[in-house]
Amino acid sequence: MNILKLSAAALVASVAFAGAAAARDQIQVAGSSTVLPYAKIVAETFGETFPNFKTPVVESGGSGAGLKEFCKGVGEATIDIANASRPINKSELEACKAAGVTDVQEVRIGYDGIVFAAASSNGDMKIEPKDLYKALAAEVVVDGKLVANPYKNWSDVNATLPKGPIAAYIPGSKHGTREVFEEKIMTEGCKESGAAEVIKAAITDAKQAAAKCVAIRKDGAAVDIDGDYTETLARISANKTGLGVFGLAFYENNMDKLKVATVKDVVPSTETISSGKYPVSRPLFFYVKKAHLGVIPGLKEYVEFFISDAMVGPDSPLAEYGLVAAPDAEREAVRKAFAAGKTM
Amino acid sequence: MSQVVTPSATPAAARPRVRRDIGIKRRYAAERRFRAYGIAAILFGLVFLFMLLTSVVSKGYTAFQQTMITVPIEFSEQVIDPNKERATNPQKLLTANYPVLARNAVAKVLGVAENDRTKMREVGQMLSDSVRAQLRDLVVANPSIIGTTQSVRLLAAGDLDSAFKGQIDLDVTESNRKISDQQVGWMKQMAEAGTLAKHFNTGIFVNGASSRPEAAGVGVALIGSFYMMLIVLVLALPIGVAASIYLEEFAPKNRFTDLIEVNINNLAAVPSIVYGLLGLAVFINFMGLPRSASLIGGLVLTLMTLPTIIIATRAALKAVPPSIRAAALGLGASKMQTIFHHVLPLAMPGILTGTIIGLAHALGETAPLLLIGMVAFVANYPTTPLDPSTALPVQIYMWANEAERAFVERTSGAIIILLLFLIAMNVGAILLRRRFERRW
């Protein structure tokens, strides 16, 4: 009987304990796995620089999952910041407002380049969006007609590309990176190769026509990667003619294993991305609940610390890791907007 | 038996031999084949186990050593507190520019001039960013060391550590790796002088999560896992044992109890992510318990482990011979006394084995923790089960997704730590069983 009594007491105690510990003294962040490494660096440095605040807890799980958690409501049981590798969309913002999260502050932290790379044993590669479109689309235009993608080798698409069979490892649809890939490569390539016009002639509905442009072939040549870049790297190490999609930061940490491709003859680097020359890049964000500022200790300081030049400037730890710093004027504007309390 | 057979054996020899085909050869061959299949199956398993262990150990053993640079550091007052304000402003010592002290000390050892800014930058890159906190803690703990020179062991940066351990291919062109030829030269120079050397890495056991591989450890994850195991043990064992005793000894056998039994067996096979969803809905959204806390993780894992414990306990109770119950009842013991004085002690080894196997299962679980926010970057030690924390398998998962090379060995290192815990728990289960086991 003693065991029973003990367990009942433990159960009661643990619940009562939970009720007593109401005030949260640790910032909680969730969201994009692309922003995660940056948020971790900032959180860690924040904890070291401000010994009176605890190091924030940063969860990963994807932009969508993070924003969903973020929009659950206001209060100590909900997270304070959502990291996102894409802007919050309308339906998410509406869901937020419906749950009582009315004042959301958007903070843009910088840019992330998306690079295409193969195993380091490959020669130089030059990629044009239209080549990638032809290699990876579900249906392509041959002799003025839409047919199922007939291309087997990279060299079938463009003679300057390597001879091996087409294999591409692209981020799965739960990743924010996929959207950028579809927008900057597939849609762009669809237009450049002239397929867009053929599709427009065949399908009148604009939405369906746009979806046709970004449809990826499903015969095994293009593989969706739902995991992280480490999985893509493992796939590429196994398949030497395969092309993988990586974030710039990941590539910079694994340069000895990867050979990067130029897009439109531009080599991806911090300089080409910040100047806008390299075409495949995207801004990174985080979203803050205004109602939590001043309630959760250290939240305001954390955001201010994150957007300070010491963290996101051109010569900062985040830039060192691979973040492309926004231009000076933009960083200043972000700081001003946050200080002014501008909400969405 | 042999005595009974002997008298009839003598006349049998006299009888004419009739050769009947009883297929003895065929049956022996079948038995040999079956044995061969069995051995093949075991070998197959062993080969994979061997491959797993070699891959983990060969990648991970280096994680238990860490490259460190031991240099005499001059705690110069000029750098730490140039205006002598530390008596009035305690913040001064917390925010001083400590990395410069470490960088200058290493530069002095290497003979780099302090005004050569590009080289000084490269020297700085060889040191971990965590030297700031390390030196700050030294000074704050003992401000009297300001103005003296102390020999301090500093963490080398993750890339330097990987290069020193030979994990970065140094034959590729300089621009394609994170460490420059100059830094490799310095590394060799310091290694020869003995300034730079590998030491046992206590950090991997005690440090919390970190974005810098050289300073990352499983400390927070170990505490989180410990809290969760404690909660699972305290809740699941008594509840599971009570439920099984009732079901096995008191409950009437009817359709309703059959239904309960089927349900318990089903629950044992439910994917663990389902328990995570349940935990999110009940403990976080409904009861409002704090996210990422090991208390919730423990509660979720308790739910997950309960069916395993109930099934094991019921099997153990069933295995106690009915004669023991009958004897106890016959001597006048009540049903309660029979169970608690006689049946339960005899079933204990089986119950404990089931519990430890259930705990080991719970220790290795990640999926349900994902949904309750425990797959997270947590740097501070959790002081109570209500503070955010992670768990060992979660730490492995998070390290496996890191970009830096130095996290590869740490991932395998953490797997080794987890495996050691599992081995210890399973050995414990075997020892308990040996100690308490009774044969009839």
Side-chain angles (χ1 to χ4, degrees):
Chain A
M1 273 332 269
N2 268 339
I3 299 176
L4 278 177
K5 274 183 198 156
L6 194 74
S7 71
L11 194 70
V12 171
S14 62
V15 172
F17 201 19
R24 175 150 65 82
D25 59 351
Q26 211 158 11
I27 301 167
Q28 291 218 307
V29 185
S32 166
S33 48
T34 312
V35 184
L36 177 74
Y38 303 120
K40 279 198 294 204
I41 295 174
V42 177
E44 190 171 10
T45 324
F46 175 77
E48 286 171 2
T49 321
F50 295 85
N52 41 338
F53 297 122
K54 280 189 173 174
T55 307
V57 173
V58 191
E59 290 174 41
S60 74
S63 306
L67 284 166
K68 200 174 158 202
E69 240 357 274
F70 182 76
C71 290
K72 271 204 172 137
V74 175
E76 284 180 347
T78 60
I79 61 171
D80 311 309
I81 292 179
N83 294 328
S85 57
R86 57 168 172 78
I88 189 169
N89 60 38
K90 232 182 182 174
S91 59
E92 283 165 339
L93 201 59
E94 273 159 20
C96 256
K97 293 210 162 127
V101 190
T102 45
D103 290 332
V104 176
Q105 288 193 276
E106 183 181 76
V107 178
R108 186 187 281 214
I109 57 174
Y111 294 84
D112 175 40
I114 291 170
V115 308
F116 299 87
S120 54
S121 54
N122 284 282
D124 286 339
M125 275 177 303
K126 291 180 175 189
I127 285 180
E128 293 290 326
K130 63 171 187 242
D131 295 339
L132 269 187
Y133 170 76
K134 277 190 191 167
L136 301 177
E139 290 182 344
V140 291
V141 176
V142 177
D143 300 332
K145 270 186 225 152
L146 268 183
V147 292
N149 198 329
Y151 302 118
K152 293 269 179 288
N153 293 315
W154 288 111
S155 49
D156 296 348
V157 178
N158 184 336
T160 61
L161 290 173
K163 292 217 159 36
I166 293 173
Y169 303 100
I170 56 177
S173 46
K174 77 162 192 175
H175 288 280
T177 320
R178 175 62 168 264
E179 265 173 55
V180 186
F181 174 74
E182 287 179 352
E183 184 196 326
K184 299 274 167 78
I185 295 289
M186 295 305 281
T187 312
E188 183 86 10
C190 190
K191 272 185 206 142
E192 281 178 15
S193 66
E197 283 171 27
V198 181
I199 291 171
K200 225 178 242 168
I203 303 167
T204 43
D205 185 50
K207 245 188 182 171
Q208 278 184 19
K212 197 106 194 164
C213 263
V214 299
I216 303 284
R217 64 199 290 184
K218 292 212 162 61
D219 56 358
V223 182
D224 276 17
I225 302 287
D226 279 324
D228 282 78
Y229 294 134
T230 26
E231 191 187 340
T232 316
L233 180 64
R235 296 285 195 117
I236 281 186
S237 312
N239 180 358
K240 301 285 180 206
T241 62
L243 189 70
V245 177
F246 297 95
L248 180 72
F250 190 90
Y251 160 69
E252 287 192 335
N253 273 298
N254 290 281
M255 282 188 297
D256 55 336
K257 288 188 173 173
L258 291 170
K259 178 92 194 172
V260 75
T262 62
V263 178
K264 292 184 174 171
D265 283 330
V266 182
V267 183
S269 71
T270 330
E271 293 79 39
T272 53
I273 291 165
S274 65
S275 67
K277 265 194 209 153
Y278 184 75
V280 204
S281 69
R282 52 150 170 210
L284 299 175
F285 302 90
F286 65 82
Y287 293 89
V288 191
K289 272 179 202 164
K290 201 177 176 185
H292 284 197
L293 291 171
V295 177
I296 303 295
L299 182 58
K300 187 161 174 278
E301 288 82 355
Y302 171 75
V303 176
E304 280 167 357
F305 185 65
F306 204 134
I307 54 184
S308 69
D309 271 353
M311 279 292 124
V312 294
D315 191 25
S316 61
L318 295 199
E320 181 105 331
Y321 187 84
L323 182 81
V324 178
D328 293 351
E330 189 182 318
R331 291 201 308 275
E332 197 48 49
V334 166
R335 281 192 284 266
K336 275 199 179 130
F338 178 74
K342 191 169 160 274
T343 59
M344 298 186 72
Chain B
M1 290 290 270
S2 55
Q3 286 120 328
V4 187
V5 180
T6 347
S8 63
T10 7
R15 251 188 261 149
R17 277 193 167 182
V18 184
R19 276 193 175 266
R20 271 192 301 145
D21 180 22
I22 50 171
I24 201 122
K25 258 191 182 166
R26 187 171 45 79
R27 287 191 287 166
Y28 274 137
E31 188 184 321
R32 274 197 300 275
R33 272 204 306 279
F34 181 75
R35 284 187 187 189
Y37 295 152
I39 291 172
I42 290 172
L43 281 181
F44 187 69
L46 280 180
V47 164
F48 276 95
L49 179 69
F50 180 73
M51 273 161 56
L52 174 84
L53 286 180
T54 20
S55 117
V56 167
V57 173
S58 65
K59 270 192 212 154
Y61 77 96
T62 49
F64 297 102
Q65 284 204 314
Q66 187 66 39
T67 311
M68 311 233 192
I69 302 174
T70 318
V71 282
I73 289 189
E74 191 192 337
F75 288 90
S76 137
E77 191 167 27
Q78 282 254 287
V79 175
I80 299 174
D81 187 12
N83 303 327
K84 300 195 170 44
E85 337 166 73
R86 61 179 180 271
T88 50
N89 181 6
Q91 286 290 318
K92 193 67 214 165
L93 288 186
L94 293 174
T95 52
N97 194 354
Y98 293 107
V100 166
L101 294 176
R103 200 183 63 189
N104 290 349
V106 176
K108 204 170 173 189
V109 169
L110 292 171
V112 176
E114 276 186 30
N115 50 15
D116 188 344
R117 291 193 58 174
T118 38
K119 275 197 177 169
M120 282 306 273
R121 213 182 123 86
E122 284 198 60
V123 171
Q125 283 168 354
M126 293 170 73
L127 287 166
S128 166
D129 285 334
S130 57
V131 297
R132 176 192 296 273
Q134 189 192 348
L135 295 183
R136 182 190 64 201
D137 293 347
L138 273 179
V139 171
V140 170
N142 181 13
S144 65
I145 61 172
I146 296 176
T148 63
T149 302
Q150 310 270 337
S151 175
V152 181
R153 199 183 274 175
L154 301 166
L155 268 181
D159 292 318
L160 188 75
D161 182 47
S162 301
F164 192 57
K165 289 172 178 168
Q167 287 154 352
I168 288 182
D169 185 0
L170 294 176
D171 295 333
V172 298
T173 41
E174 193 178 2
S175 60
N176 280 352
R177 50 181 145 86
K178 284 229 121 180
I179 181 160
S180 71
D181 286 342
Q182 173 77 73
Q183 287 166 329
V184 173
W186 283 334
M187 177 181 88
K188 286 179 180 154
Q189 184 189 334
M190 285 197 287
E192 262 170 40
T195 324
L196 180 140
K198 282 188 275 187
H199 294 277
F200 182 71
N201 185 5
T202 40
I204 196 173
F205 298 101
V206 297
N207 289 351
S210 170
S211 54
R212 306 158 196 142
E214 67 276 8
V218 295
V220 170
L222 277 179
I223 296 178
S225 278
F226 171 75
Y227 280 146
M228 291 201 294
M229 290 306 104
L230 200 68
I231 291 167
V232 173
L233 190 68
V234 165
L235 292 182
L237 182 63
I239 296 177
V241 170
S244 350
I245 290 178
Y246 180 78
L247 282 173
E248 202 54 47
E249 306 283 341
F250 294 98
K253 296 270 175 274
N254 57 25
R255 285 205 169 179
F256 183 64
T257 47
D258 283 350
L259 188 73
I260 290 180
E261 177 158 6
V262 168
N263 269 312
I264 289 174
N265 291 341
N266 266 342
L267 278 178
V270 164
S272 53
I273 190 101
V274 175
Y275 290 102
L277 283 167
L278 180 79
L280 176 68
V282 175
F283 299 125
I284 297 184
N285 292 347
F286 178 67
M287 289 169 71
L289 296 180
R291 270 181 85 77
S292 312
S294 42
L295 172 68
I296 303 179
L299 291 175
V300 167
L301 293 178
T302 301
L303 294 178
M304 200 193 80
T305 324
L306 260 181
T308 318
I309 294 184
I310 292 179
I311 291 170
T313 308
R314 292 188 70 179
L317 289 173
K318 266 194 196 124
V320 176
S323 55
I324 299 215
R325 291 188 185 84
L329 290 173
L331 286 172
S334 74
K335 189 139 193 194
M336 224 19 217
Q337 285 172 326
T338 309
I339 293 165
F340 281 94
H341 296 170
H342 302 283
V343 179
L344 200 56
L346 290 173
M348 225 37 184
I351 296 174
L352 289 177
T353 315
T355 309
I356 289 176
I357 289 171
L359 276 182
H361 184 189
L363 178 66
E365 199 56 71
T366 5
L369 306 181
L370 182 70
L371 290 159
I372 54 171
M374 287 189 76
V375 178
F377 172 83
V378 186
N380 293 117
Y381 280 141
T383 41
T384 69
L386 285 163
D387 291 328
S389 72
T390 51
L392 259 182
V394 169
Q395 197 61 67
I396 295 170
Y397 169 74
M398 292 196 65
W399 281 352
N401 289 333
E402 294 278 358
E404 285 102 335
R405 189 65 41 83
F407 273 116
V408 174
E409 58 165 27
R410 263 156 213 275
T411 308
S412 295
I415 294 175
I416 295 175
I417 297 177
L418 181 68
L419 283 178
L420 288 177
F421 271 91
L422 291 176
I423 290 173
M425 286 174 85
N426 286 325
V427 167
I430 291 172
L431 287 180
L432 281 175
R433 203 165 51 208
R434 283 263 171 83
R435 196 171 153 79
F436 294 115
E437 199 163 44
R438 293 235 188 138
R439 292 181 187 281
W440 293 285

